[in-house]
């Protein structure tokens, strides 16, 4: 057959071609077979059909006659040209529909239309023509001023081949809400017409925001003036020595949203230094969320408008038979706003938005938000207009819930302090006889800094130890009965016994506190992870507890990530004979200058010790919440921690901390009597082992039969023992009558009393 040249149809990748062997002939017989060769291989018939794509194709034909003779080979060439180019029309995109609300007092709002999404697959968009009322400029993104109502704008785009397409966008502008009745005691705040996030506050309060920027509350790190084993700054998550504790381990290896909800930052990592120029400085200050401390009903939620969105959260389900996690079961999947907010891949930042009610025109919490995230009872505008000085509730919104639940961590801080009865805390009680004080009355150090720290915390906001006697309320001798030699004087005790020891008889009053946490015994809680559901460790909680009493000079040793454990971190022997590493240990003893006996809460937990590095493993608390597996949580920590390997061997160890009890002072009539601690006045159990634990034993081999005799013979021969009240008799005779310093009979001195330290013969 003849050579052929064909062209593909538009949109087709192949064409059917019929080869033609009908012109073959035999002069003295007839043709009985046709054999074709080529790619694709045609059928061996006179005129087979083949499907050919773009290109040049050759096919050969050999025929055989009825006598068995074969012909020579003849070849045909088929050329298939590509389909002709067809211009694709452009695609017009007038942008997403918008719903906006006029600000109070405004009749129009400027809206920018957006045609930048328009495109042309095989050319360029040459022109943009908008139509509508008012008529926009014919540019990619024109601006128009719109009043209340529904407005439609149509965009027509034309490409370089004069083809065109159109799209329409609808803009709904809601009328301004009626003016909100402003009951703020601060008249200037009533001029706020719309709340646009923390920048609204910073616009007028830049100085205050600058002060807060350098605080521990914002940075989550700071100086460690009162921690003797950390040289330099430290804290939770920021710069310097990073903490790990007996409650939540550390949040270094967990998503930020799990713990960020209670910090002053609005989601982004704080910069250790405040940038000098705009806009960086303004952006940094606008990350300080003033409403966290100055609006007690304030609530917020990860930014539901962020295009990064939320990624699904998979939670291991519980085995119905055992109640323990079973990874073989289909997981519980949380999607949408119940998932995990996605952080910026470079900065790891995300953002919070105020969680307003449904009628909040600016920040209404979406209807599909998790049930646990109930909105504020007021709109964001009302929240901003109604800011106030800090209150007990505002502080306790975070501090009362530390450790994962009301009263869980501190023991002396819970929702019971929002408006406590006298029996819980007379300083904060509004009842008759109470002082009605708020947290700032004691803790405000000025300049948005806070004075005071628990011994288990690393940073401090100000370089001043805070105590009752420097509070501005009480002197070092508040009872007015001090004597250098008289026994039983309260002010003598005040020099070495903290006020809290006598005036806080019990803690965890009204709300139970956690005393131990076991990560190896998980249980499922629907309320975990802010209502998403998840796994929690076993938590033993108790109420109305008697404190432990230890010496404390205001400084402590507090563990930090990377610190070696064995031969470095102090240990405590537990009642069952095992030992626990003490992650928060008060410094001081009976002989330490400035040390006093303080009431303490003790907390016991478990962590993993890396056997290769001899350091504690910062497990992923979130991974435990998700899986209920401490092994998985530790493994995640090993994988994420620099200097550790997922193959490192580890052991589970017990960890312990002391925590000072400072809140819960009761009325003076409830203060401890002498018999609570001194056997000379009590026939019952004592709160303290003064001689065995607190260092008040006499010199020599305490407990041996001859100890008292040896001590007595420093000055005179042994005397007969007064069987009536031996301690009182001996103490009174030697201190009041002989004016002898404690060091004569004990291994410590009390130089402030000005007594004699001489040892010699006598009566």
């Amino acid at each position: 057959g003849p050579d052929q040249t064909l062209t593909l149809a538009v949109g087709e990748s192949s064409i059917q071609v019929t080869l033609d062997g009908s012109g073959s002939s035999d002069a003295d017989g007839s043709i009985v077979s046709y054999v074709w060769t080529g790619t694709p291989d045609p059928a061996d018939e006179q005129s087979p059909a083949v499907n050919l794509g773009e290109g040049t194709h050759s096919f050969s034909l050999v025929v055989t006659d009825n006598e068995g003779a074969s012909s020579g080979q003849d070849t045909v060439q088929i050329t298939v040209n590509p389909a002709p180019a067809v211009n694709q029309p452009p695609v017009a995109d007038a942008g997403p529909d918008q719903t906006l609300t006029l600000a109070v007092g405004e009749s129009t709002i400027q809206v920018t239309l957006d045609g930048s999404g328009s495109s042309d697959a095989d050319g360029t968009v040459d022109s943009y023509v908008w139509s509508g009322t008012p008529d926009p400029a014919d540019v990619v993104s024109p601006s128009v001023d719109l009043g209340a109502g529904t407005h439609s704008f149509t965009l027509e785009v034309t490409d370089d081949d004069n083809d065109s397409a159109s799209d329409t966008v609808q803009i709904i502008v809601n009328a301004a809400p009626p003016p909100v009745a402003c009951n703020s005691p601060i008249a200037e705040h009533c001029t706020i017409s719309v709340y646009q996030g923390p920048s609204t506050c910073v616009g007028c309060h830049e100085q205050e925001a600058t002060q807060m920027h350098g605080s521990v509350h914002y940075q989550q790190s700071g100086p460690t003036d009162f921690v003797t084993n950390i040289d330099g700054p430290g804290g939770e998550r920021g710069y310097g020595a990073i903490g790990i504790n007996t409650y939540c381990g550390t949040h270094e290896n967990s998503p930020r949203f799990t713990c960020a909800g209670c910090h002053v930052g609005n989601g982004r990592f704080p910069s250790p230094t405040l940038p000098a120029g705009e806009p960086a400085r303004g952006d940094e200050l606008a990350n300080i969320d003033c409403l966290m401390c100055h609006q007690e009903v304030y609530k917020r939620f990860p930014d539901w408008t962020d295009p990064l969105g939320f990624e699904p959260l998979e939670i291991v389900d519980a085995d119905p038979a055992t109640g323990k996690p079973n990874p073989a079961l289909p997981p519980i999947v949380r999607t949408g706003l119940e998932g995990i907010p996605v952080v910026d891949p470079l900065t790891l930042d995300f953002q919070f938005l105020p969680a307003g009610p449904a009628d909040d025109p600016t920040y209404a919490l979406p209807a599909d938000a998790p049930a646990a995230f109930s909105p504020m009872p007021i709109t964001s505008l009302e929240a901003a207009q109604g800011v106030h000085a800090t209150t007990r509730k505002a502080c306790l919104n975070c501090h009362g819930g530390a450790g994962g639940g009301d009263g869980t961590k501190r023991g002396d801080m819970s929702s019971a302090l929002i408006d406590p009865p006298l029996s819980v805390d007379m300083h904060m009680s509004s009842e008759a006889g109470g002082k009605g004080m708020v947290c700032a009355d004691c803790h405000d150090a000025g300049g948005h800094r806070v004075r005071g720290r628990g011994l288990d915390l690393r940073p401090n906001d100000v370089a001043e130890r805070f105590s009752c006697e420097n509070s501005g309320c009480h002197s070092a001798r508040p009872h007015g009965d001090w004597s250098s030699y008289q026994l039983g004087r309260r002010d003598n005790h005040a020099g070495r016994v903290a006020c809290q020891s006598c005036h806080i008889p019990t803690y965890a009053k009204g709300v139970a506190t956690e005393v131990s946490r076991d990560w190896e015994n998980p249980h499922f809680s629907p309320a975990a992870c802010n209502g998403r559901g998840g796994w929690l460790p076993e938590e033993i909680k108790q109420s109305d507890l008697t404190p432990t009493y230890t010496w404390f000079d205001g400084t402590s040793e507090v563990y930090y990530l990377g610190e070696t454990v064995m031969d470095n971190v102090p240990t405590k022997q537990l009642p069952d004979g095992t030992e626990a590493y003490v992650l928060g240990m008060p410094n001081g003893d009976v002989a330490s200058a400035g040390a006093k006996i303080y009431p303490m809460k003790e907390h016991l937990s478990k962590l993993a010790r890396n056997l290769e590095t001899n350091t504690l493993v910062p497990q992923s608390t979130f991974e435990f919440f998700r899986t209920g597996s401490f092994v998985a949580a530790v493994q995640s920590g090993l994988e994420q921690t620099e200097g550790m390997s997922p193959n490192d061997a580890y052991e589970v160890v017990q960890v312990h901390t002391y925590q000072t009890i400072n809140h819960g002072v009761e009325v003076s009539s409830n203060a401890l009597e002498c018999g609570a601690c001194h056997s000379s006045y009590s026939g019952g159990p004592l709160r303290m082992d003064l001689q065995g634990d607190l260092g008040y034993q006499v010199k020599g081999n305490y407990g041996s039969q001859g100890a008292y005799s040896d001590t007595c013979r420093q000055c005179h021969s042994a005397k007969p023992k007064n069987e009536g009240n031996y301690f009182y008799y001996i103490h009174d005779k030697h201190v009041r009558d002989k004016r002898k310093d404690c060091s004569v009979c004990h291994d410590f001195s009390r130089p402030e009393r000005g007594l004699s330290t001489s040892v010699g013969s006598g009566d």
Side-chain angles (χ1 to χ4, degrees):
D3 292 342
Q4 301 181 53
T5 299
L6 306 170
T7 301
L8 291 172
V10 174
E12 299 294 337
S13 60
S14 66
I15 187 173
Q16 189 177 72
V17 179
T18 300
L19 305 178
D20 184 11
S22 62
S24 304
S25 61
D26 183 41
D28 58 0
S30 61
I31 295 175
V32 297
S33 70
Y34 298 81
V35 177
W36 293 88
T37 58
T39 303
D41 190 17
D44 291 331
E45 57 190 41
Q46 186 184 78
S47 299
V50 289
N51 290 319
L52 303 180
E54 178 183 340
T56 300
H57 311 268
S58 294
F59 297 94
S60 297
L61 172 63
V62 173
V63 296
T64 303
D65 67 9
N66 57 334
E67 295 294 333
S70 297
S71 69
Q73 179 176 279
D74 187 40
T75 299
V76 64
Q77 183 170 284
I78 312 294
T79 301
V80 179
N81 293 322
V86 176
N87 180 62
Q88 299 294 314
V91 175
D93 185 350
D97 293 343
Q98 301 181 53
T99 299
L100 307 167
T101 300
L102 292 171
V104 174
E106 300 292 336
S107 59
T108 62
I109 185 173
Q110 188 176 76
V111 179
T112 299
L113 305 177
D114 184 11
S116 62
S118 303
S119 61
D120 185 40
D122 57 359
T124 58
V125 176
D126 276 356
S127 66
Y128 298 81
V129 178
W130 293 89
S131 59
T133 303
D135 190 17
D138 292 331
V139 295
V140 177
S141 299
S143 294
V144 287
D145 292 328
L146 303 180
T150 300
H151 309 267
S152 293
F153 296 93
T154 298
L155 170 65
E156 183 177 287
V157 296
T158 303
D159 68 5
D160 50 353
D161 202 44
N162 289 321
D163 284 339
S164 63
S166 64
D167 186 38
T168 298
V169 63
Q170 181 173 277
I171 313 291
I172 298 174
V173 179
N174 294 321
V180 176
C182 180
N183 299 315
S184 173
I186 306 171
E188 291 87 344
H189 289 164
C190 291
T191 63
I192 302 173
S193 60
V194 61
Y195 181 67
Q196 297 178 318
S199 60
T200 298
C201 302
V202 176
C204 294
H205 299 287
E206 183 175 344
Q207 179 181 354
E208 289 81 358
T210 302
Q211 293 169 344
M212 177 58 78
H213 184 273
S215 72
V216 171
H217 263 105
Y218 178 64
Q219 292 290 340
Q220 304 172 44
S221 295
T224 56
D225 306 87
F226 302 106
V227 181
T228 54
N229 63 312
I230 297 178
D231 183 16
E236 289 184 3
R237 189 174 206 165
Y239 53 87
I242 302 300
I244 183 171
N245 62 55
T246 61
Y247 290 90
C248 300
T250 178
H251 49 195
E252 278 293 284
N253 293 327
S254 296
R256 291 197 61 229
F257 86 97
T258 56
C259 295
C262 249
H263 291 135
V264 176
N266 200 44
R268 302 200 304 272
F269 280 105
S271 169
T273 57
L274 187 58
E278 297 289 354
R281 176 184 173 87
D283 288 345
E284 180 65 26
L285 291 178
N287 190 44
I288 298 171
D289 196 347
C290 307
L291 297 189
M292 285 295 292
C293 296
H294 293 286
Q295 178 49 264
E296 63 179 25
V297 300
Y298 179 61
K299 293 185 180 181
R300 61 187 187 178
F301 189 81
D303 183 0
W304 57 86
T305 68
D306 191 325
L308 292 176
F310 293 70
E311 63 183 20
L313 167 63
E314 292 190 355
I315 304 168
V316 173
D317 204 354
D319 191 303
T322 65
K324 298 302 180 183
N326 186 345
L329 295 174
I332 302 169
V333 181
R334 305 298 190 202
T335 59
L337 300 185
E338 288 189 313
I340 304 171
V342 178
V343 299
D344 184 281
L346 297 178
T347 65
L348 304 183
D349 291 335
F350 71 106
Q351 288 283 282
F352 285 109
L353 292 182
D359 61 346
D360 190 328
T362 309
Y363 296 111
L365 189 66
D368 60 343
F373 287 93
S374 57
M376 293 185 287
I378 57 177
T379 67
S380 54
L381 177 58
E382 291 169 324
Q385 290 179 338
V387 296
H388 49 70
T390 57
T391 63
R392 291 188 297 272
K393 184 179 187 305
C395 296
L396 290 167
N397 282 341
C398 285
H399 291 284
D406 189 12
T408 294
K409 187 173 185 179
R410 303 307 328 171
D412 60 347
M413 284 189 280
S414 71
S415 61
L417 295 183
I418 293 175
D419 188 14
L422 284 173
S423 59
V424 171
D425 190 299
M426 60 85 59
H427 284 129
M428 301 190 214
S429 178
S430 59
E431 293 181 351
K435 301 297 183 183
M437 298 171 68
V438 298
C439 308
D441 289 330
C442 289
H443 293 287
D444 182 12
H448 279 76
R449 301 300 171 93
V450 171
R451 59 179 181 172
R453 61 173 281 274
L455 73 84
D456 57 320
L457 303 180
R458 293 155 193 83
N460 49 276
D461 239 0
V462 293
E464 172 194 20
R465 182 187 174 191
F466 179 52
S467 62
C468 297
E469 54 265 34
N470 69 4
S471 65
C473 299
H474 306 289
S475 67
R477 296 175 179 175
H479 304 95
D481 65 351
W482 187 85
S483 170
S484 64
Y485 58 88
Q486 292 286 355
L487 184 66
R489 299 304 178 94
R490 290 172 297 175
D491 277 347
N492 291 13
H493 283 72
R496 295 293 171 169
V497 180
C499 305
Q500 297 93 314
S501 291
C502 294
H503 292 282
I504 307 177
T506 61
Y507 67 96
K509 292 177 283 195
V511 176
T513 191
E514 183 180 294
V515 295
S516 70
R517 178 172 289 197
D518 187 353
W519 292 97
E520 293 186 303
N521 189 14
H523 69 277
F524 189 84
S525 170
C529 216
N530 288 328
R532 293 171 173 87
W535 294 91
L536 298 178
E538 179 187 36
E539 300 163 299
I540 296 177
K541 296 184 177 182
Q542 297 176 356
S543 301
D544 299 315
L545 296 171
T546 298
T548 297
Y549 298 93
T550 64
W551 288 101
F552 179 43
D553 65 5
T555 68
S556 53
E557 290 188 32
V558 189
Y559 186 82
Y560 59 91
L561 285 180
E563 184 179 18
T564 55
V565 180
M566 293 184 65
D567 302 323
N568 191 37
V569 174
T571 60
K572 175 183 174 66
Q573 186 167 1
L574 303 175
D576 63 0
T578 60
E579 287 191 335
Y581 293 107
V582 183
L583 305 190
M585 171 69 82
N587 292 326
D589 57 33
V590 67
S592 300
K596 294 186 179 185
I597 298 173
Y598 272 81
M600 301 280 175
K601 172 187 171 179
E602 295 187 71
H603 185 259
L604 185 66
S605 185
K606 294 178 180 178
L607 292 176
R609 181 178 76 89
N610 187 321
L611 300 179
E612 309 296 331
T613 62
N614 187 27
T615 59
L616 294 182
V617 179
Q619 84 269 13
S620 170
T621 304
F622 176 75
E623 188 66 11
F624 182 89
F625 287 160
R626 195 184 69 79
T627 66
S629 169
F630 187 54
V631 172
V634 172
Q635 189 66 32
S636 179
L638 291 171
E639 292 172 355
Q640 295 185 63
T641 304
E642 185 177 357
M644 294 188 182
S645 164
N647 298 318
D648 286 352
Y650 66 88
E651 64 175 350
V652 178
V653 296
Q654 297 185 99
V655 290
H656 171 280
T657 194
Y658 289 97
Q659 297 169 267
T660 48
I661 299 296
N662 298 300
H663 307 93
V665 171
E666 298 187 24
V667 293
S668 58
S669 60
N670 289 351
L672 297 181
E673 299 288 346
C674 303
C677 305
H678 296 286
S679 59
S680 302
Y681 300 89
S682 172
L686 301 178
R687 287 175 172 248
M688 305 179 188
D689 183 355
L690 292 167
Q691 296 179 342
D693 293 337
L694 295 172
Y696 282 98
Q697 68 271 19
V698 296
K699 289 180 179 178
N701 183 16
Y702 176 67
S704 67
Q705 192 66 31
Y708 286 102
S709 297
D710 292 343
T711 303
C712 296
R713 288 193 179 97
Q714 294 179 111
C715 301
H716 48 65
S717 60
K719 298 290 185 179
K721 183 175 181 180
N722 183 320
E723 296 297 341
N725 194 333
Y726 187 60
F727 169 78
Y728 188 92
Y729 165 76
I730 293 295
H731 197 279
D732 201 42
K733 181 175 181 63
H734 288 78
V735 178
R736 188 186 67 181
D737 295 349
K738 302 296 183 181
R739 307 291 172 90
K740 292 294 184 179
D741 179 70
C742 305
S743 61
V744 174
C745 297
H746 302 281
D747 292 320
F748 60 88
S749 176
R750 294 293 180 256
E752 66 270 17
R753 295 190 178 187
L755 301 177
S756 171
T757 59
S758 65
V759 177
S761 60
D763 294 334

